Amino acid sequence: MMAPYLRAYVQHNRSSVLSLAAISFIACAFLGLVIAVTQMLLTDYFVRMEYLGQSPEITGSSISFFVVTAICSIAIVLMLKSAFDVAMHARIRNLGIYKSIGATDAQVRRLLLAEGCVLALPAGCVGVFVGLGSAFLLVSGLVAMTAVNRTYDPVIEIAPAAILTALVASGLTIVISALLPARRLGKLSTIKAISEGDANYERVHKPGAASRLLGRMCGIEARLAADSLRARRRSMRTANISIAFAVLAFMTLLNFETLSHLSTQETYFQRYEGVWDVRVMFEDAARYGVDEGVVSELRALDGVTGVTFGDVYKEDSDDAFYNVLTDSARSARQVTSMLEDRYSGEQGVEVLNLDEEAVRDERSRSGIRLFIDVFAAVLAAIGIADVFASVLGRIPTRRHELAQLVAAGISARQVHRMFTVESLLIIAKPLALATVLNSAIVVLAVKVSPVEMSAFLANMPLAHIGVFLVASWLPICIAYRLGEREMMRGPVCAAMAD
């Protein structure tokens, strides 16, 4: 029974099969990515602690990273569960027919479980290795971007234990995600399955205030789109939550990074501009006062125009600061090189170049922005994959809905506009929520920082946020275009007779 069922299902439901395989591939790729990045960053942490001669300890950054990893893993499990839920519920009536001809609850559960594993496990295994490779490239890029800040050789490798963990975790995730809806559907009564079909997912709701407002402002298509999303909010719960978290996390982290960058510029680089181009810092030497020998040695260097002692912003520091001004950036580099050679091997002496510090800061921030982009993209991709599952997995149900709309006088162009508005609303709702929350967060953050609100508003990362929103919306739009093409193929009104 199982083999003929699977062959027939694959043959007659290619779009659903490809959708489920694609979502399993994406989910397992992200799971492999998360596991491999976690393992490599942990390895790097242990190597750094060993180089510094310190014992590994739990820090706020490590806790934050593991919280992010846990959120990503839970979201991936929810995405797969939602995909299997949609795919299996689309055939409730068929399962009822199987039970009516003698299939037991256990056989139905085995059919659904076998279907999920056969269709999803191969794609999931390929996705794991793609995710592991992506993690290797990502961490290699981060290490290259922060190489100037490192004093030890990092270890960039994926441990065999991480590969095995990713494969086992992906397999268990797929099996559990398929088993949960399979157990629930296996207990469904035959009469209820045949009579109701997928009706429990298409409950009729009264138009909400938002849909009525959209209808008055943007036309009947916007109202139909809002009502459709409201009716499917349960089946798209994972998509809505993931995309909302992605937009909120992206905007919040990017705004904080921008605020941190402006604060660093104001309290460090702009503050010391014209004060020193090269600084020599002696640890625990402030109590000895100015060493005239060091001052004379610094003034004798080519390109040096002035030498001062101390730092008014660090009066409580025990370190001694010798500030060197030069006549050009080239002279600053030459002076830095000579001083590094002069004090090479001496403990407690550090030579700083303000321009090099700015370059080092920008590279570090590029790594931070890359992490923000990847983290938000993972959450957004989980929601986007769930949109694909919801749209492509419900083609028969929505085809019947479109037939009713066409019979009521809705044109094909209006159907196209309705789907476009649906795709826009999926992004617009979390964007509105994130905008409101971020406005309050940013106002409070700016008040406790040395940055003026006007400076922050002038440097807001609007272009970066816009690119992320468009990049998140385009796959959703593609999902709706593919679904629309399948739903509108052939005589749509014939679907009302099914």
Side-chain angles (χ1 to χ4, degrees):
M1 176 181 177
M2 193 172 298
Y5 168 80
L6 291 175
R7 282 196 299 268
Y9 175 73
V10 172
Q11 184 178 358
H12 295 96
N13 298 274
R14 292 183 180 178
S15 60
S16 298
V17 169
L18 291 176
S19 174
L20 188 60
I23 292 170
S24 301
F25 171 83
I26 294 171
C28 293
F30 280 125
L31 195 58
L33 175 70
V34 169
I35 291 174
V37 168
T38 303
Q39 177 259 308
M40 285 191 283
L41 291 182
L42 278 176
T43 301
D44 179 75
Y45 175 71
F46 288 128
V47 169
R48 185 171 73 252
M49 290 296 102
E50 182 179 358
Y51 172 82
L52 296 174
Q54 300 177 5
S55 301
E57 58 183 11
I58 298 176
T59 62
S61 299
S62 60
I63 293 175
S64 300
F65 181 77
F66 280 113
V67 169
V68 169
T69 302
I71 291 174
C72 291
S73 301
I74 293 171
I76 289 168
V77 172
L78 291 177
M79 179 184 75
L80 266 178
K81 177 185 175 297
S82 179
F84 281 108
D85 207 18
V86 170
M88 293 179 183
H89 270 88
R91 298 186 312 285
I92 290 180
R93 185 173 287 111
N94 292 342
L95 298 177
I97 294 174
Y98 286 139
K99 295 181 75 171
S100 69
I101 61 176
T104 63
D105 292 350
Q107 287 175 321
V108 170
R109 284 196 297 270
R110 284 198 297 270
L111 278 175
L112 294 173
L113 184 60
E115 171 195 314
C117 292
V118 168
L119 299 179
L121 278 177
C125 290
V126 175
V128 166
F129 287 103
V130 171
L132 294 173
S134 302
F136 184 83
L137 295 176
L138 174 62
V139 174
S140 299
L142 288 174
V143 168
M145 294 173 66
T146 58
V148 72
N149 298 330
R150 293 178 180 270
T151 57
Y152 65 96
D153 294 326
V155 177
I156 309 174
E157 62 179 13
I158 301 177
I163 300 175
L164 181 61
T165 301
L167 289 172
V168 172
S170 299
L172 289 176
T173 300
I174 289 175
V175 172
I176 294 173
S177 299
L179 183 61
L180 291 176
R183 289 185 61 189
R184 187 168 61 253
L185 294 180
K187 299 176 182 179
L188 196 64
S189 68
T190 303
I191 296 176
K192 186 175 181 180
I194 295 176
S195 62
E196 293 187 8
D198 201 28
N200 62 322
Y201 271 72
E202 310 299 333
R203 295 171 183 167
V204 178
H205 294 270
K206 292 182 179 180
S211 64
R212 291 195 297 269
L213 180 61
L214 281 173
R216 286 194 294 268
M217 295 177 58
C218 305
I220 186 64
E221 299 93 340
R223 178 168 178 171
L224 290 173
D227 288 341
S228 177
L229 288 177
R230 188 164 180 262
R232 292 174 176 81
R233 57 188 176 185
R234 179 183 171 188
S235 60
M236 296 188 66
R237 186 177 300 159
T238 302
N240 293 332
I241 293 175
S242 297
I243 294 175
F245 269 123
V247 176
L248 180 61
F250 183 78
M251 291 181 64
T252 303
L253 293 175
L254 202 60
N255 283 333
F256 271 112
E257 195 281 328
T258 301
L259 189 60
S260 172
H261 173 67
L262 294 174
S263 178
T264 302
Q265 289 292 324
E266 185 169 328
T267 60
Y268 190 78
F269 295 107
Q270 293 178 8
R271 172 182 292 175
Y272 291 121
E273 185 178 0
V275 177
W276 59 269
D277 298 318
V278 181
R279 165 172 279 184
V280 184
M281 185 179 69
F282 294 87
E283 293 183 3
D284 300 326
R287 59 182 178 273
Y288 301 119
V290 182
D291 188 333
E292 294 297 338
V294 174
V295 173
S296 301
E297 183 180 353
L298 293 174
R299 286 175 176 167
L301 296 175
D302 293 335
V304 174
T305 59
V307 178
T308 59
F309 178 79
D311 189 333
V312 296
Y313 300 105
K314 298 181 179 180
E315 293 180 347
D316 297 333
S317 175
D318 294 328
D319 300 331
F321 303 99
Y322 292 85
N323 309 308
V324 180
L325 283 172
T326 60
D327 55 14
S328 65
R330 180 178 180 182
S331 296
R333 290 193 296 270
Q334 292 175 346
V335 170
T336 302
S337 178
M338 287 186 288
L339 290 175
E340 287 176 342
D341 293 339
R342 164 68 177 82
Y343 293 107
S344 177
E346 291 193 24
Q347 296 293 327
V349 182
E350 185 177 4
V351 179
L352 302 176
N353 182 300
L354 195 61
D355 290 337
E356 292 178 359
E357 288 289 298
V359 173
R360 187 179 295 112
D361 179 74
E362 183 57 36
R363 287 180 178 175
S364 299
R365 294 189 181 281
S366 298
I368 293 173
R369 287 191 291 270
L370 178 60
F371 173 78
I372 294 172
D373 290 341
V374 172
F375 173 56
V378 168
L379 291 178
I382 291 169
I384 292 168
D386 196 63
V387 171
F388 268 88
S390 181
V391 173
L392 300 182
R394 295 188 173 283
I395 289 177
T397 303
R398 296 217 66 180
R399 185 176 171 85
H400 187 273
E401 175 190 331
L402 289 183
Q404 293 176 326
L405 294 176
V406 171
I410 299 296
S411 65
R413 172 175 283 187
Q414 288 177 307
V415 170
H416 178 76
R417 290 175 183 169
M418 182 185 75
F419 282 130
T420 301
V421 174
E422 275 195 43
S423 65
L424 288 171
L425 287 176
I426 290 175
I427 291 293
K429 288 182 178 180
L431 175 60
L433 174 64
T435 301
V436 172
L437 293 177
N438 265 273
S439 298
I441 293 172
V442 166
V443 169
L444 293 175
V446 170
K447 282 186 175 180
V448 298
S449 73
V451 180
E452 296 292 334
M453 179 61 75
S454 58
F456 176 79
L457 293 176
N459 291 274
M460 280 186 66
L462 295 178
H464 201 160
I465 293 173
V467 170
F468 174 76
L469 293 174
V470 172
S472 300
W473 173 73
L474 284 177
I476 296 174
C477 185
I478 291 172
Y480 272 93
R481 290 291 174 271
L482 295 175
E484 178 187 351
R485 188 178 64 179
E486 290 294 325
M487 296 173 205
M488 299 297 289
R489 181 174 294 174
V492 179
C493 289
M496 295 185 66
D498 293 340

